[in-house]
Amino acid sequence: MIPINRSFIFFYFMIISVFFVSGCWSQKELNDLSIISAMAIDKNEEGQYIGTVQLVNPGNVAGGLQGGGAGQSPTVTVYSAEGGSVLDSEFNLTSKVSRKLYKAHANLIVISDEIAKDEGIAKLLDAFERDPEIRNTSRIVIAQHAKAGDVLKSLTAIDSIPSEKVNGILKVIQQSKGENMEVTLQEVIKTLTTEGKEPVLSGVKILGDIKEGKKIENVQQTELSTILESDSLAIFKEGKLIDWYKDETSRGVIWILDKIKQTNVSLNWNEKEKSIIYKVIRQKTKLSAATQNALPTITIHVNVEGDIREVRTPVDLKDPMVILDMEKELEKEIKRQLEETVTRTQQNKTDIFGFGEVVHRSDPRKWKTMKDSWNDTYFPNLKVEVEVDAFIRRTGLRSNSFLSDMKE
């Protein structure tokens, strides 16, 4: 029997395996790419889609525009092209750019409110979700009373890339104010395909002169001529934009969706409006459905904890009874805000809260009889109860305000 040299066999298979290694067949040289940071979709009067891309100028990003010196170039360049579909407009863009459009770093998709109202967002999103280069974590926003392409053309300070500015605004507002939220491509599609829930997206508006915002001089001054702002929520029904919420109403939506990180609640005290400011530091919202009756009853239960952060009237914060009274007033105020949000939304006949989803989980058989006419028939007539438990954890760095020692 011929002895087998195991080392030889191992070496032989190593050599053979080289022929099956694919190597760098899919490599992309950086010098051959135009890196897209954001995309936008509008429509012209002829019904053609206008696709806009925001391309990063790598050589200008490192230095940034912080110094604002003369002769500096923008950190981004914007191109637009028309087409009969989202993909057509993208194809037509290639004739204007000398490099391959690379979408793997795109983190923002802006859709005009005109498209969102007239035809909805559902059909548009297929082109983005189907593309293997586009991240499903890209944020989606609605351009409020503006062209989506103009949002990408507005140069911004601090965050030199406008798409980073928009994403930063959404993140900060959700974490500190609770009136807007980040929504990804994946989350929108999941909501659109979920029974008993409608999408909610943040809006972005342009404040100031749009033409001035496109110039580099806009970020070379202490007070910008044009800024991007997000202070409203876009409310959808069956994939179409039907209303805008802001202030307490938009906060009520975020609260019911259990996405509040931090926010402030103002209380009237001693017959003075908004004289006590309560800062929410943590909260938990739970939804439940009672389906015994013909029409389900939805209960929104909120547990909230926070601190007293501002006092503008004399009050004895050392008195436990005063703290208890404040907690009761907080519960009433939060309950009022949530009830008003629910009432307006029921009038709009669109279940953005996912009440139908809660009913579906609680009683699938009953939901089957309701789902086809949920938004128009059942949701507007639901009995919704709001229960709030508020707790004051601290009163800041001091108890009683120095205002208590001053004569009014």
Side-chain angles (χ1 to χ4, degrees):
M1 187 174 182
I2 301 174
I4 299 175
N5 190 329
R6 294 185 179 181
S7 298
F8 174 79
I9 294 176
F10 177 77
F11 181 74
Y12 174 78
F13 279 108
M14 286 289 291
I15 295 297
I16 293 296
S17 65
V18 171
F19 295 99
F20 298 96
V21 175
S22 57
C24 301
W25 65 273
S26 62
Q27 70 174 354
K28 296 179 176 67
E29 294 293 339
L30 186 60
N31 293 337
D32 297 331
L33 302 177
S34 289
I35 298 175
I36 298 176
S37 57
M39 297 172 284
I41 298 295
D42 291 289
K43 232 178 182 182
N44 60 19
E45 295 179 356
E46 290 74 32
Q48 292 274 74
Y49 289 100
I50 304 175
T52 303
V53 293
Q54 184 183 96
L55 306 180
V56 178
N57 297 327
N60 299 331
V61 173
L65 297 175
Q66 306 298 330
Q72 288 182 320
S73 300
T75 54
V76 295
T77 302
V78 176
Y79 291 93
S80 298
E82 299 176 357
S85 66
V86 175
L87 200 58
D88 278 343
S89 65
E90 181 186 319
F91 284 157
N92 294 334
L93 276 168
T94 59
S95 63
K96 299 182 179 182
V97 185
S98 60
R99 302 181 181 184
K100 182 184 183 302
L101 296 176
Y102 188 61
K103 293 166 282 187
H105 292 284
N107 57 14
L108 181 68
I109 300 170
V110 186
I111 301 173
S112 73
D113 56 357
E114 181 182 355
I115 292 179
K117 288 177 185 176
D118 295 342
E119 65 180 71
I121 61 174
K123 294 180 180 178
L124 293 178
L125 298 184
D126 179 82
F128 295 107
E129 186 200 27
R130 197 176 294 275
D131 194 320
E133 276 191 359
I134 296 179
R135 303 178 183 180
N136 58 15
T137 56
S138 299
R139 280 74 167 181
I140 298 184
V141 298
I142 303 298
Q144 186 178 4
H145 311 312
K147 295 292 185 182
D150 287 338
V151 172
L152 302 191
K153 296 172 185 176
S154 299
L155 296 177
T156 57
I158 303 178
D159 297 293
S160 56
I161 300 177
S163 63
E164 296 293 339
K165 159 80 170 183
V166 174
N167 286 329
I169 290 175
L170 298 179
K171 184 176 181 179
V172 169
I173 292 178
Q174 182 173 353
Q175 290 180 344
S176 61
K177 196 175 180 182
E179 295 181 3
N180 283 84
M181 62 180 180
E182 297 177 282
V183 184
T184 65
L185 172 63
Q186 183 181 40
E187 290 170 338
V188 176
I189 293 174
K190 181 180 178 181
T191 303
L192 286 169
T193 55
T194 297
E195 293 182 348
K197 193 173 185 180
E198 299 288 344
V200 178
L201 295 174
S202 291
V204 175
K205 64 174 68 171
I206 302 173
L207 300 182
D209 191 327
I210 295 176
K211 292 183 179 180
E212 291 298 319
K214 300 175 184 178
K215 301 176 182 178
I216 194 170
E217 288 82 0
N218 184 53
V219 294
Q220 293 178 328
Q221 50 193 353
T222 56
E223 184 177 359
L224 278 63
S225 302
T226 308
I227 62 173
L228 299 178
E229 182 185 60
S230 180
D231 67 348
S232 302
L233 286 179
I235 307 303
F236 285 78
K237 179 179 181 180
E238 297 175 356
K240 292 186 177 182
L241 174 64
I242 62 168
D243 200 359
W244 290 98
Y245 289 2
K246 64 182 301 183
D247 299 329
E248 290 181 355
T249 311
S250 61
R251 187 191 307 162
V253 173
I254 308 298
W255 214 312
I256 296 172
L257 291 176
D258 193 30
K259 293 183 179 291
I260 288 282
K261 305 297 183 182
Q262 291 185 354
T263 190
N264 291 340
V265 179
S266 302
L267 292 181
N268 300 334
W269 202 261
N270 292 340
E271 299 181 353
K272 294 185 178 180
E273 292 187 359
K274 299 182 178 181
S275 55
I276 304 293
I277 308 299
Y278 174 80
K279 185 176 184 64
V280 175
I281 57 175
R282 63 180 62 89
Q283 72 85 37
K284 183 64 180 177
T285 301
K286 293 183 179 180
L287 304 179
S288 61
T291 59
Q292 296 86 352
N293 299 324
L295 198 63
T297 298
I298 302 294
T299 301
I300 304 170
H301 190 85
V302 178
N303 282 293
V304 59
E305 181 180 333
D307 304 335
I308 300 297
R309 287 298 178 90
E310 185 176 350
V311 175
R312 296 191 288 130
T313 186
V315 57
D316 186 5
L317 294 177
K318 293 181 180 179
D319 187 345
M321 298 308 297
V322 172
I323 297 297
L324 286 174
D325 290 340
M326 280 189 181
E327 289 175 343
K328 291 178 181 178
E329 291 301 314
L330 281 168
E331 292 169 356
K332 292 178 183 177
E333 176 61 19
I334 295 171
K335 182 178 180 180
R336 179 192 66 79
Q337 292 183 19
L338 268 58
E339 288 177 339
E340 290 182 358
T341 300
V342 170
T343 298
R344 178 170 172 178
T345 307
Q346 286 182 310
Q347 292 170 351
N348 279 329
K349 296 183 178 182
T350 178
D351 185 3
I352 59 175
F353 308 122
F355 291 167
E357 191 178 12
V358 177
V359 172
H360 187 191
R361 290 197 304 264
S362 301
D363 194 339
R365 185 174 297 179
K366 177 167 251 181
W367 169 251
K368 196 172 183 179
T369 65
M370 295 179 168
K371 65 178 183 178
D372 292 335
S373 54
W374 175 255
N375 273 335
D376 294 321
T377 303
Y378 296 101
F379 175 74
N381 298 303
L382 284 177
K383 181 181 179 182
V384 180
E385 298 178 348
V386 180
E387 299 176 355
V388 182
D389 291 327
F391 179 64
I392 297 176
R393 172 65 67 182
R394 305 174 189 85
T395 59
L397 293 178
R398 63 181 298 158
S399 51
N400 288 346
S401 170
F402 64 86
L403 296 175
S404 301
D405 300 326
M406 297 175 61
K407 293 182 179 180
E408 292 188 292

